[in-house]
Amino acid sequence: FPSHDNGVVYNTELGYRTGLGDFTLDLAGFYTRINNRLATVYEGAIAVQKPFGTNQIKGVEISATYTPAVIRGLLVQGSITIQDATFLDFKIPVVLNATTRKPNFDVDGNLYGNVIIKEGVNAQGANVYSIDLKGKQLPVVPARIINITANYDQKYFGLNANLNANIKTFQDATNIYRSDDFYIVNLGAYAKIYTNKTNYVRIGINGKNMLNSQKALRMLYVTNTDGAVS
């Protein structure tokens, strides 16, 4: 089962930028490999650092900026990240019931796309199994991330809006529990009240989560057990 050695990260990124009139376009491809990754998991009520195998994250990010000359003060920026974050090498042990000395689920039943491996027999004569997570998406790492921001600034007032979306995220390493996709919209406005030619008082209002999304925005920890299969 996984080693407890310190994690080693290898990262490569290649980008290209071009401009056309009022547009600026950036394109980047990236690849990250993490050997012996450590992640925060919970054992009961205690958060601990545990090995999370060898991981890879590869993908592309496309971003654009628009500053139209005909609309002074307007700035629109957007980006989309499409990534494939998977386990390259990681197995988790299947917990044996203390009474029956068997797994708490049918190893020949519906495993929701997971692969069970028989590792051998323990000292008590019970079969020992593991779940091979090779190719599974890393938990809490979305497959797609979208960000769009618009700002309109004038001498006496300004407006701003922001959209953030995380799409296709799993809560657990076995990829059984998928989180709901979420979209967060924030809006803001401000006004400047000048007291003289150079000094002013700025009054603003901001509205957070305008879609009133109640979905989980961030998982505080991930799981590295067979609990989702059981």
Side-chain angles (χ1 to χ4, degrees):
F1 292 112
S3 167
H4 289 262
D5 296 337
N6 292 331
V8 179
V9 180
Y10 302 92
N11 185 70
T12 302
E13 185 171 346
L14 179 65
Y16 173 76
R17 169 175 288 184
T18 186
L20 178 63
D22 298 330
F23 285 93
T24 300
L25 181 67
D26 291 273
L27 175 64
F30 57 88
Y31 177 82
T32 300
R33 179 186 174 113
I34 309 173
N35 294 339
N36 299 314
R37 177 192 169 196
L38 295 178
T40 301
V41 302
Y42 264 55
E43 292 184 347
I46 301 175
V48 296
Q49 291 286 308
K50 287 288 188 178
F52 228 55
T54 299
N55 306 167
Q56 72 170 7
I57 305 174
K58 57 184 178 180
V60 296
E61 181 179 33
I62 303 172
S63 60
T65 302
Y66 177 51
T67 52
V70 295
I71 308 177
R72 297 187 60 182
L74 178 62
L75 171 64
V76 180
Q77 296 175 305
S79 68
I80 179 171
T81 301
I82 303 172
Q83 58 188 2
D84 180 31
T86 57
F87 291 102
L88 285 180
D89 180 23
F90 188 50
K91 294 188 291 185
I92 56 177
V94 173
V95 176
L96 299 181
N97 186 284
T99 302
T100 65
R101 296 182 183 178
K102 295 181 179 180
N104 292 313
F105 58 89
D106 182 3
V107 296
D108 296 317
N110 182 9
L111 302 176
Y112 307 97
N114 288 283
V115 177
I116 296 291
I117 297 175
K118 183 178 178 180
E119 299 287 352
V121 179
N122 64 16
Q124 289 75 38
N127 291 330
V128 177
Y129 300 93
S130 67
I131 300 176
D132 188 356
L133 298 181
K134 182 178 181 180
K136 290 290 184 179
Q137 182 175 325
L138 299 179
V140 305
V141 180
R144 292 182 295 280
I145 304 172
I146 299 173
N147 283 290
I148 301 174
T149 300
N151 294 288
Y152 183 60
D153 296 297
Q154 293 296 307
K155 181 178 181 179
Y156 294 104
F157 71 95
L159 305 170
N160 60 79
N162 170 259
L163 165 68
N164 172 251
N166 282 8
I167 302 171
K168 193 183 178 184
T169 307
F170 289 97
Q171 298 179 22
D172 67 300
T174 55
N175 288 184
I176 292 176
Y177 297 124
R178 176 174 170 173
S179 301
D180 292 332
D181 299 339
F182 75 84
Y183 301 84
I184 299 297
V185 174
N186 302 317
L187 301 175
Y190 68 86
K192 294 179 181 178
I193 302 175
Y194 282 82
T195 57
N196 53 46
K197 290 184 178 180
T198 57
N199 298 321
Y200 60 86
V201 176
R202 175 169 166 159
I203 301 174
I205 183 172
N206 291 294
K208 302 293 186 180
N209 191 17
M210 300 302 294
L211 298 180
N212 195 29
S213 175
Q214 299 183 26
K215 304 198 172 51
L217 302 187
R218 177 176 173 85
M219 299 295 293
L220 297 181
Y221 62 91
V222 296
T223 60
N224 69 341
T225 70
D226 65 345
V229 181
S230 301

